[in-house]
């Protein structure tokens, strides 16, 4: 199986290539230069593997939630590459990829609550549980006020992502249910690979026209009246 994965949903720009059991990847913490970095990273991993795009089975990308600009970059590049090489596309949750990355480094992490800072007083979040070697969602991914996050069941959850640091109320509300805290976690392309591989085996692919970002938030800007009303509360 050969899959190319891209992620620009947060501050890292990353690309990974799976060839059978080998993963080649490039990662750079570069919040404002994703556009300049991603295609050279793609070229670099393909050159190292000595293969072309047309030899791939699919292209996967971090479909969000995340930075609006970042989501458009990864989706647009995935669409362009897939169209040119006539390949299917696999959109993968960036929250799930972040959870998968924690499991990669910490095999005892079985239940994870991933949170991004969505700005304007909101979070992107989702809870994931390990099944086999893949993190699967056990809640719907959502954009919410921090106070609306809930942890399923009565067990302990590992809290990951910058949202937990951005909104201290999350730790205040759930500290008794937290097995640990990893606020520096980030989604990376190499952690998209295991999820994308499972999805490809199950036929969960889309054509280029359906390879679109998932923003969760439909409205990104408040009107002046809404901002004034919020300030008066």
């Amino acid at each position: 199986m050969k899959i190319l994965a891209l992620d620009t949903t947060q501050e890292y720009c990353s690309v990974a290539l799976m060839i059978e059991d080998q993963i080649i990847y490039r990662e750079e913490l570069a919040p404002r230069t994703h556009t300049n970095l991603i295609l050279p990273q793609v070229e670099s991993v393909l050159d190292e593997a000595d293969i072309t795009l047309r030899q791939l089975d699919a292209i996967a990308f971090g479909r969000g939630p995340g930075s609006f600009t970042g989501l458009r970059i990864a989706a647009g590049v995935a669409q362009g590459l897939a169209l040119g090489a006539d390949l299917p596309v696999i959109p993968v949750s960036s929250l799930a990829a972040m959870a998968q990355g924690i499991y990669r480094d910490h095999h005892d992490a079985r239940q994870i609550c991933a949170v991004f800072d969505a700005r304007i007083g909101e979070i992107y979040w989702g809870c994931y549980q390990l099944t086999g070697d893949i993190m699967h969602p056990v809640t719907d991914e959502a954009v919410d006020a921090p106070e609306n996050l809930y942890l399923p069941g009565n067990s302990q959850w590992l809290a990951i992502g910058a949202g937990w640091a951005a909104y201290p109320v999350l730790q205040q509300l759930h500290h008794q249910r937290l097995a640990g805290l990893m606020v520096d976690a980030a989604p990376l392309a190499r952690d998209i690979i295991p999820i994308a591989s499972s999805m490809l085996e199950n036929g969960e692919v889309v054509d280029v026209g359906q390879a679109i970002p998932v923003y969760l938030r439909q409205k990104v800007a408040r009107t002046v009246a809404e901002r004034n009303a919020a300030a008066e509360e």
Side-chain angles (χ1 to χ4, degrees):
M1 188 179 292
K2 301 178 181 67
I3 299 174
L4 177 71
L6 322 170
D7 190 89
T8 57
T9 55
Q10 296 288 311
E11 294 189 341
Y12 275 91
C13 182
S14 60
V15 168
L17 174 65
M18 181 181 78
I19 303 179
E20 308 310 333
D21 295 329
Q22 180 186 13
I23 296 180
I24 301 168
Y25 62 90
R26 303 287 184 267
E27 298 165 359
E28 187 165 343
L29 183 61
R32 295 177 179 83
T33 57
H34 293 350
T35 303
N36 297 329
L37 290 173
I38 190 162
L39 287 175
Q41 287 181 337
V42 169
E43 183 177 0
S44 178
V45 296
L46 291 173
D47 285 348
E48 181 173 335
D50 193 26
I51 66 170
T52 67
L53 283 171
R54 290 188 177 275
Q55 293 175 274
L56 299 175
D57 295 304
I59 295 178
F61 73 100
R63 51 100 166 138
S67 156
F68 280 66
T69 300
L71 296 189
R72 289 193 292 271
I73 292 170
V77 171
Q79 287 174 335
L81 296 177
L83 183 63
D86 193 24
L87 293 171
V89 183
I90 309 172
V92 174
S93 162
S94 47
L95 288 167
M98 185 166 69
Q100 191 72 35
I102 296 299
Y103 173 68
R104 167 172 51 83
D105 291 334
H106 305 276
H107 281 344
D108 58 339
R110 302 302 174 102
Q111 295 193 138
I112 292 175
C113 183
V115 181
F116 295 152
D117 182 1
R119 311 298 180 185
I120 62 172
E122 293 181 324
I123 57 171
Y124 299 123
W125 71 280
C127 291
Y128 304 86
Q129 194 166 48
L130 192 70
T131 302
D133 290 324
I134 304 297
M135 284 288 171
H136 290 277
V138 293
T139 63
D140 291 334
E141 294 177 349
V143 56
D144 262 323
E147 293 82 1
N148 291 337
L149 181 146
Y150 67 92
L151 299 174
N154 299 308
S155 55
Q156 298 286 296
W157 293 79
L158 180 61
I160 68 168
W164 286 94
Y167 299 97
V169 66
L170 290 170
Q171 297 179 51
Q172 296 167 10
L173 290 173
H174 302 288
H175 68 278
Q176 294 182 334
R177 299 282 308 282
L178 300 185
L181 187 64
M182 296 183 178
V183 298
D184 293 330
L188 297 170
R190 56 177 154 147
D191 299 315
I192 287 175
I193 290 286
I195 301 172
S197 176
S198 175
M199 293 174 69
L200 181 59
E201 288 178 351
N202 293 327
E204 299 175 53
V205 301
V206 301
D207 61 29
V208 171
Q210 296 174 302
I212 58 176
V214 173
Y215 296 111
L216 291 184
R217 177 186 289 143
Q218 299 302 316
K219 188 175 183 180
V220 297
R222 300 187 195 184
T223 65
V224 172
E226 287 171 335
R227 291 196 298 269
N228 290 340
E232 292 173 359
E233 291 179 355

